[in-house]
Amino acid sequence: MRKIAQAFTLILAVSACNNPANNNAAKTQTTGIEGTWKLLTGTLIEKNDTTVTDYTKGKEFIKIINDTHFAFLEHNTPKDSAAEFSAGGGPYDLHDSTYTEHLEYCNDRQWEGHDFSFTIAIHNDTLTQTGIEKIDSLNVNRLNIERYVRVQGK
Protein backbone atom coordinates (compact mmCIF):
# COMPACT_ATOMS: atom_id res chain seq x y z
CA MET A 1 0.00 0.00 0.00
CA ARG A 2 2.87 2.36 0.82
CA LYS A 3 4.37 1.90 -2.68
CA ILE A 4 1.00 2.71 -4.27
CA ALA A 5 0.76 5.94 -2.25
CA GLN A 6 4.31 6.91 -3.21
CA ALA A 7 3.63 6.19 -6.90
CA PHE A 8 0.41 8.24 -6.76
CA THR A 9 2.26 11.17 -5.15
CA LEU A 10 4.97 10.97 -7.81
CA ILE A 11 2.37 10.97 -10.63
CA LEU A 12 0.67 14.04 -9.14
CA ALA A 13 3.97 15.89 -8.84
CA VAL A 14 4.98 15.12 -12.43
CA SER A 15 1.59 16.08 -13.86
CA ALA A 16 1.67 19.39 -11.97
CA CYS A 17 5.05 20.18 -13.54
CA ASN A 18 3.69 19.51 -17.03
CA ASN A 19 0.59 21.68 -16.60
CA PRO A 20 0.82 24.53 -19.18
CA ALA A 21 -0.89 26.95 -16.82
CA ASN A 22 1.84 26.35 -14.25
CA ASN A 23 4.56 26.80 -16.90
CA ASN A 24 3.12 30.18 -18.00
CA ALA A 25 2.92 31.34 -14.42
CA ALA A 26 6.56 30.40 -13.89
CA LYS A 27 7.60 32.25 -17.07
CA THR A 28 5.79 35.40 -15.96
CA GLN A 29 7.43 35.30 -12.55
CA THR A 30 10.91 34.69 -13.90
CA THR A 31 11.00 37.02 -16.92
CA GLY A 32 8.82 39.93 -15.83
CA ILE A 33 8.54 41.09 -19.46
CA GLU A 34 4.80 40.52 -19.81
CA GLY A 35 2.67 43.63 -19.49
CA THR A 36 2.19 47.04 -21.03
CA TRP A 37 5.23 49.29 -21.46
CA LYS A 38 5.33 52.98 -22.34
CA LEU A 39 8.34 54.16 -24.33
CA LEU A 40 10.17 57.06 -22.69
CA THR A 41 13.15 57.52 -25.01
CA GLY A 42 14.40 55.98 -28.21
CA THR A 43 17.96 56.35 -29.44
CA LEU A 44 18.93 55.43 -33.00
CA ILE A 45 22.61 55.31 -33.95
CA GLU A 46 23.25 54.96 -37.67
CA LYS A 47 26.74 55.40 -39.09
CA ASN A 48 27.95 58.54 -37.26
CA ASP A 49 24.50 60.02 -36.58
CA THR A 50 22.65 59.70 -33.28
CA THR A 51 18.98 60.62 -32.96
CA VAL A 52 17.30 60.68 -29.55
CA THR A 53 13.50 60.88 -29.44
CA ASP A 54 11.69 61.90 -26.27
CA TYR A 55 8.38 60.01 -26.33
CA THR A 56 6.99 62.06 -23.45
CA LYS A 57 6.67 65.15 -25.67
CA GLY A 58 4.58 65.14 -28.83
CA LYS A 59 4.60 61.34 -29.32
CA GLU A 60 3.33 58.31 -27.47
CA PHE A 61 4.35 54.69 -27.96
CA ILE A 62 3.29 51.60 -26.03
CA LYS A 63 4.34 47.98 -26.33
CA ILE A 64 2.10 45.21 -25.04
CA ILE A 65 3.70 41.83 -24.37
CA ASN A 66 1.86 38.67 -23.34
CA ASP A 67 3.29 35.19 -22.98
CA THR A 68 3.55 34.59 -26.76
CA HIS A 69 3.12 37.87 -28.69
CA PHE A 70 4.01 41.54 -28.69
CA ALA A 71 2.25 44.53 -30.23
CA PHE A 72 3.20 48.18 -30.49
CA LEU A 73 1.16 51.30 -31.06
CA GLU A 74 2.55 54.76 -31.75
CA HIS A 75 0.97 58.11 -32.48
CA ASN A 76 1.87 61.73 -32.25
CA THR A 77 -0.34 64.00 -30.21
CA PRO A 78 -1.84 66.33 -32.86
CA LYS A 79 -5.39 65.28 -33.71
CA ASP A 80 -5.53 67.28 -36.93
CA SER A 81 -4.20 66.51 -40.41
CA ALA A 82 -0.66 66.20 -38.96
CA ALA A 83 -1.69 63.10 -36.97
CA GLU A 84 0.48 60.03 -37.50
CA PHE A 85 -0.04 56.43 -36.40
CA SER A 86 1.96 53.22 -36.61
CA ALA A 87 1.37 49.72 -35.30
CA GLY A 88 2.76 46.24 -35.57
CA GLY A 89 3.23 42.97 -33.80
CA GLY A 90 3.79 39.25 -33.90
CA PRO A 91 5.28 36.43 -31.86
CA TYR A 92 8.52 36.72 -29.92
CA ASP A 93 11.16 34.49 -28.39
CA LEU A 94 12.88 35.13 -25.07
CA HIS A 95 16.01 33.24 -24.06
CA ASP A 96 17.71 34.65 -20.99
CA SER A 97 18.22 38.34 -21.89
CA THR A 98 17.85 37.85 -25.68
CA TYR A 99 14.43 39.03 -26.85
CA THR A 100 13.64 38.47 -30.56
CA GLU A 101 10.58 39.99 -32.19
CA HIS A 102 9.18 38.32 -35.32
CA LEU A 103 7.34 41.20 -36.98
CA GLU A 104 4.36 39.63 -38.77
CA TYR A 105 2.10 42.68 -38.91
CA CYS A 106 3.07 46.30 -39.54
CA ASN A 107 1.38 49.29 -41.13
CA ASP A 108 4.66 49.82 -43.03
CA ARG A 109 4.43 46.52 -44.92
CA GLN A 110 8.11 46.57 -45.95
CA TRP A 111 9.06 45.80 -42.33
CA GLU A 112 6.87 42.67 -42.14
CA GLY A 113 8.56 39.30 -42.12
CA HIS A 114 11.74 40.50 -40.42
CA ASP A 115 13.20 39.47 -37.06
CA PHE A 116 14.78 41.90 -34.64
CA SER A 117 16.90 40.70 -31.71
CA PHE A 118 17.50 42.80 -28.62
CA THR A 119 19.29 42.41 -25.35
CA ILE A 120 16.88 43.34 -22.59
CA ALA A 121 17.34 44.41 -19.00
CA ILE A 122 14.55 44.94 -16.49
CA HIS A 123 15.26 46.97 -13.38
CA ASN A 124 12.27 47.67 -11.13
CA ASP A 125 9.65 49.13 -13.51
CA THR A 126 12.08 50.02 -16.33
CA LEU A 127 12.73 47.90 -19.42
CA THR A 128 15.71 48.71 -21.63
CA GLN A 129 16.15 46.96 -24.96
CA THR A 130 19.19 47.32 -27.21
CA GLY A 131 19.69 45.76 -30.61
CA ILE A 132 20.44 46.12 -34.29
CA GLU A 133 17.64 46.83 -36.76
CA LYS A 134 18.79 45.64 -40.16
CA ILE A 135 16.80 45.37 -43.39
CA ASP A 136 19.04 45.30 -46.44
CA SER A 137 16.22 45.99 -48.92
CA LEU A 138 15.41 49.26 -47.10
CA ASN A 139 19.05 50.18 -46.46
CA VAL A 140 18.34 50.11 -42.71
CA ASN A 141 21.23 49.18 -40.42
CA ARG A 142 21.21 50.91 -37.07
CA LEU A 143 21.54 50.42 -33.35
CA ASN A 144 18.25 50.94 -31.52
CA ILE A 145 18.14 51.61 -27.77
CA GLU A 146 14.70 51.98 -26.17
CA ARG A 147 13.83 52.71 -22.55
CA TYR A 148 10.32 51.86 -21.33
CA VAL A 149 8.43 52.20 -18.06
CA ARG A 150 5.81 49.65 -17.01
CA VAL A 151 2.23 50.94 -17.23
CA GLN A 152 0.37 50.19 -14.03
CA GLY A 153 -3.18 48.80 -14.32
CA LYS A 154 -6.11 50.92 -13.28
Side-chain angles (χ1 to χ4, degrees), residues 3-123:
K3 288 185 180 188
I4 293 173
Q6 289 174 336
F8 183 73
T9 303
L10 180 62
I11 290 169
L12 282 177
V14 169
S15 65
C17 290
N18 290 328
N19 182 340
N22 289 345
N23 290 340
N24 287 342
K27 181 179 178 184
T28 299
Q29 291 171 354
T30 58
T31 66
I33 195 170
E34 292 86 1
T36 302
W37 300 90
K38 184 172 182 168
L39 186 58
L40 299 176
T41 59
T43 302
L44 296 175
I45 302 171
E46 191 167 11
K47 296 178 183 167
N48 292 327
D49 293 328
T50 300
T51 304
V52 178
T53 302
D54 181 350
Y55 284 87
T56 65
K57 298 177 182 170
K59 289 186 174 221
E60 292 181 316
F61 184 111
I62 62 168
K63 183 177 284 192
I64 302 165
I65 303 172
N66 67 22
D67 60 341
T68 61
H69 285 74
F70 74 98
F72 64 84
L73 306 165
E74 175 188 15
H75 72 118
N76 60 350
T77 50
K79 295 184 180 182
D80 55 19
S81 62
E84 296 175 8
F85 177 80
S86 65
Y92 73 90
D93 295 313
L94 179 63
H95 301 285
D96 298 320
S97 63
T98 302
Y99 167 74
T100 303
E101 296 178 342
H102 308 287
L103 192 58
E104 285 186 352
Y105 309 99
C106 188
N107 65 300
D108 187 345
R109 305 298 289 267
Q110 299 174 87
W111 285 71
E112 289 182 350
H114 293 279
D115 296 341
F116 303 96
S117 289
F118 301 93
T119 299
I120 62 164
I122 299 174
H123 182 70

Side-chain angles (χ1 to χ4, degrees), residues 126-138:
T126 302
L127 165 68
T128 303
Q129 68 179 51
T130 304
I132 300 292
E133 293 179 336
K134 184 173 182 177
I135 303 176
D136 291 333
S137 62
L138 297 176

